[in-house]
Amino acid sequence: DIQMTQSPSSLSASVGDRVTITCRASQSISSYINWYQQKPGKAPTLLIYDAFSLQSGVPSRFSGSGSGTDFTLTISSLQPEDCATYYCQLGYNTAPLTFGGGTEVEIK
Amino acid sequence: QVQLVESGGGVVQPGRSLRLSCAASGFTFRNYGMHWVRQAPGKGLEWVALIWHDGSSKYYVDSVKGRFTISRDNSKNTMYLQMTSLRAEDTAVYYCARDINSRWYDLWGQGTLVTVSS
């Protein structure tokens, strides 16, 4: 199975900062990666699919990039409501749709 | 509105069984593959099982193979997860999620908590 390794596991940044989260696949997955946001006590919500496509209704400060094995989720200007845990997910069309370990983002 | 609602969670003793349900509304359920994803307390997300839109194929994470069974009733717009031989490590919030192209989840339920404890 393909493994997804996220880093860092947590970070602390100030409002307005640019934040980058990375995800590395154990083998090439083309652009088949998705990103989710999960706020405490809530279900995850889809942010980005297919590496860089923004899900409808998601603020444009979120963006995704990468291909092959290395991918990033970027928040261009961190807002208080972005305090959450972010997960990458293998989006290849075969089970299991493995998740990364998560990155907890907090506001300084 | 478009939503998924899980039910059936609770406290169960090790070795016992439990059935979760996921009721869909606001969209054509039979057109979508569906998944169960779980999250142990304080931990990350773990994919559990997938069922194709018509129920013809099913897939499981290795740790639940032979113990969990995913199914669906498209006439009732409902998906199920029958869990048997439950273990402490199955304790988690169980989410159902709607599949898009077998590639990502665009809709999640609110989750139902399963606690396996004596």
Side-chain angles (χ1 to χ4, degrees):
Chain A
D1 293 348
I2 298 173
Q3 305 303 314
M4 306 294 284
T5 304
Q6 251 183 273
S7 61
S9 57
S10 65
L11 66 88
S12 180
S14 300
V15 172
D17 282 354
R18 183 181 184 88
V19 169
T20 299
I21 298 167
T22 65
C23 188
R24 174 166 289 176
S26 58
Q27 65 189 72
S28 178
I29 58 170
S30 184
S31 297
Y32 296 128
I33 189 169
N34 312 309
W35 292 94
Y36 299 85
Q37 177 192 65
Q38 186 180 32
K39 295 186 178 180
K42 301 294 186 181
T45 59
L46 179 65
L47 295 175
I48 303 281
Y49 61 93
D50 279 351
F52 55 83
S53 296
L54 197 67
Q55 172 70 349
S56 175
V58 173
S60 59
R61 64 180 178 273
F62 291 94
S63 64
S65 63
S67 65
T69 60
D70 294 315
F71 302 89
T72 60
L73 172 70
T74 299
I75 309 173
S76 61
S77 177
L78 189 68
Q79 299 301 304
E81 60 267 32
D82 300 335
C83 180
T85 301
Y86 295 83
Y87 294 92
C88 64
Q89 182 202 28
L90 169 65
Y92 207 63
N93 60 350
T94 181
L97 297 180
T98 307
F99 290 93
T103 296
E104 186 176 5
V105 174
E106 66 172 27
I107 307 295
K108 278 182 184 175
Chain B
Q1 68 275 32
V2 176
Q3 64 177 359
L4 299 169
V5 178
E6 301 94 337
S7 60
V11 180
V12 61
Q13 293 179 328
R16 302 299 291 265
S17 300
L18 203 62
R19 189 179 82 158
L20 306 183
S21 299
C22 170
S25 59
F27 65 97
T28 307
F29 180 69
R30 65 179 180 272
N31 288 349
Y32 293 88
M34 295 293 297
H35 298 246
W36 288 100
V37 176
R38 67 184 178 183
Q39 187 169 36
K43 302 297 184 182
L45 301 169
E46 180 185 37
W47 172 81
V48 175
L50 155 67
I51 185 167
W52 284 15
H53 65 98
D54 59 359
S56 61
S57 289
K58 305 173 185 180
Y59 302 89
Y60 302 91
V61 68
D62 285 347
S63 60
V64 309
K65 283 180 183 175
R67 299 190 300 122
F68 290 11
T69 302
I70 190 171
S71 63
R72 65 191 295 160
D73 185 339
N74 285 345
S75 68
K76 296 182 178 179
N77 293 334
T78 302
M79 176 179 66
Y80 306 97
L81 187 67
Q82 179 68 48
M83 304 184 293
T84 64
S85 302
L86 282 162
R87 306 167 180 168
E89 54 265 35
D90 297 318
T91 294
V93 174
Y94 284 74
Y95 297 100
C96 59
R98 185 174 76 174
D99 168 302
I100 300 296
N101 298 329
S102 297
R103 301 252 300 279
W104 62 85
Y105 310 136
D106 73 331
L107 180 67
W108 297 66
Q110 85 288 353
T112 187
L113 176 61
V114 173
T115 302
V116 183
S117 174
S118 55

